[in-house]
Amino acid sequence: MEGTSIRATTTRVCVMNSTALKFKQNYLSFRKSVLLRSPMDTKSISQNSIRARQSTTTMTETDYKNELKIKDQGIKIRRRPPTGPPLNYDGPFEFRLVNEDDNTPRDILEEIVWNKDKEVSLLKEREPLATLKKELENAPPVRDFLGALRKSHLRTGFPALIAEVKKASTSIGVLRKDFDPVEGGAACLNVLTDGSFENLEKIRNAGIQCPFLCKEFIVDAWQIYYARTKGADAVLLIVAVLPDLDIQYMTKICKTLSLAALVEVHDEKEMDRVLGIEGIQLVGINNHNLGTFEVDISNTRHLLEGERGEVIRQKDIIVVGESGLYTPSDIAYVQDAGVKAVLVGESIVKQNDPGKGISGLFGKDISP
Ligand SMILES: O=C(O)c1ccccc1NCC(=O)[C@H](O)[C@H](O)COP(=O)(O)O
């Protein structure tokens, strides 16, 4: 474990040093590409540079440095179009200065995140943090998400089930009178909110007892407070989207609110980042490839092999296998790899009888 962190730190330091050396050169060539993209006379160049300086949409030197730092961490998801407006800027997007092709999101997650920034800035205007903090007093009591996973794993001997609920109307049945997922053996629910917490509130008001993970694309700490006021017991932090410092900061906020944080990774680089951050108790391995959106459950096994698996055991981190789990042999495969919980959507949702869906998935009735 010591060795890992020393190596990780050394690598990061080397990368930062070389970045620092290259920064001036990169920044100059970046400025040059901004100003000299097409042949212009000196007058239009200077007019352009004045306009660029006046524009709030111009990428500043600090922005550029931050982009470079984030790239060093291997974050695939860009938080906004490279030539787009500054974060939380709501005015017209008037200037496109470089590489216009890059203004198209590269994958679904990037598209979600670009829209999310705007959505959150509007929500924050309606309900500033100070107001939310007051509302926390009236929030439904928080339930122990990690405790529920541990208890279920001990009781069944299988990975604890976090059942995904996409929409109240087509959910695994939480709003159907004849089915309660807890009775079917689910330890927790994963409620897809994506901006609207109506589902989560409805399910909570329907009296479902197990803890809820709020599946929201978190880009701002404000969303964590908001999720808690709506009754979330856990939130998702997607490592592909968030720099290390945000993960550290957000996990601390979660602790102060007694929320669990499911920190989600997709690949080795993201897993290594997470293992270098103190205080993380719950890690999800998503088997979706963000680029191709293909699902491969061997991703879970691969990320838990060797030294990484050893560090996870030493730190007593609970690992959740996410996506693409359909059969008892899939469950056995990820359990052998070291997961103590699974997050499952489609294979249960698709069943007419979700209770049978759960026992079909585990090859056994796991209801309490
Ligand atoms: O992997 C992501 O980060 C992601 C980004 C945007 C949309 C969906 C994303 N992942 C898919 C899921 O999280 C699945 O819905 C969940 O793991 C359940 O999977 P399944 O059992 O295969 O329905």
Side-chain angles (χ1 to χ4, degrees), residues 110-330:
E110 200 160 86
E111 188 173 353
I112 293 170
V113 165
W114 289 3
N115 291 328
K116 190 58 68 181
D117 260 324
K118 186 147 192 178
E119 178 193 302
V120 172
S121 61
L122 294 176
L123 283 169
K124 276 165 89 172
E125 271 175 32
R126 276 213 317 250
E127 273 192 284
L129 188 59
T131 318
L132 276 189
K133 284 188 172 171
K134 279 186 201 137
E135 281 174 29
L136 283 174
E137 288 164 23
N138 305 320
V142 69
R143 296 161 309 184
D144 183 2
F145 194 89
L146 283 170
L149 295 181
R150 286 202 183 94
K151 204 168 142 195
S152 173
H153 177 56
L154 270 176
R155 179 180 68 77
T156 66
F158 287 111
L161 173 64
I162 307 171
E164 182 164 278
V165 179
K166 286 199 167 134
K167 269 188 196 160
S169 53
T170 55
S171 74
I172 64 166
V174 274
L175 297 182
R176 279 165 36 176
K177 288 190 182 70
D178 59 343
F179 180 69
D180 175 338
V182 185
E183 282 172 19
C188 300
L189 293 190
N190 174 32
V191 185
L192 186 71
T193 49
D194 200 10
S196 157
F197 283 74
E198 212 188 320
N199 283 348
L200 198 136
E201 285 178 309
K202 270 189 189 164
I203 298 168
R204 213 159 163 157
N205 292 339
I208 305 298
Q209 293 300 321
C210 67
F212 300 165
L213 166 72
C214 150
K215 179 153 182 178
E216 180 60 47
F217 298 89
I218 292 186
V219 292
D220 189 310
W222 178 92
Q223 294 166 279
I224 301 176
Y225 290 93
Y226 190 61
R228 181 74 280 278
T229 63
K230 300 290 180 189
D233 306 296
V235 293
L236 182 71
L237 301 178
I238 304 177
V239 177
V241 173
L242 300 166
D244 293 2
L245 211 57
D246 283 7
I247 297 170
Q248 244 173 306
Y249 182 65
M250 289 177 176
T251 45
K252 283 203 170 141
I253 290 176
C254 287
K255 275 209 177 105
T256 63
L257 298 176
S258 304
L259 284 169
L262 175 61
V263 183
E264 184 184 87
V265 302
H266 293 83
D267 59 29
E268 299 105 312
K269 206 160 190 173
E270 290 175 11
M271 179 64 103
D272 291 343
R273 285 177 52 208
V274 166
L275 296 182
I277 299 173
E278 280 309 309
I280 289 176
Q281 295 177 294
L282 188 62
V283 172
I285 300 179
N286 203 317
N287 298 314
H288 270 279
N289 177 314
L290 280 178
T292 61
F293 228 62
E294 277 166 12
V295 181
D296 178 1
I297 66 169
S298 71
N299 191 41
T300 295
R301 168 159 276 177
H302 176 56
L303 296 195
L304 293 176
E305 271 166 359
E307 212 175 333
R308 289 190 187 97
E310 196 50 47
V311 177
I312 285 165
R313 280 187 291 280
Q314 282 175 19
K315 291 190 167 204
D316 199 21
I317 291 172
I318 297 180
V319 178
V320 185
E322 303 175 13
S323 303
L325 303 167
Y326 292 89
T327 64
S329 66
D330 291 344

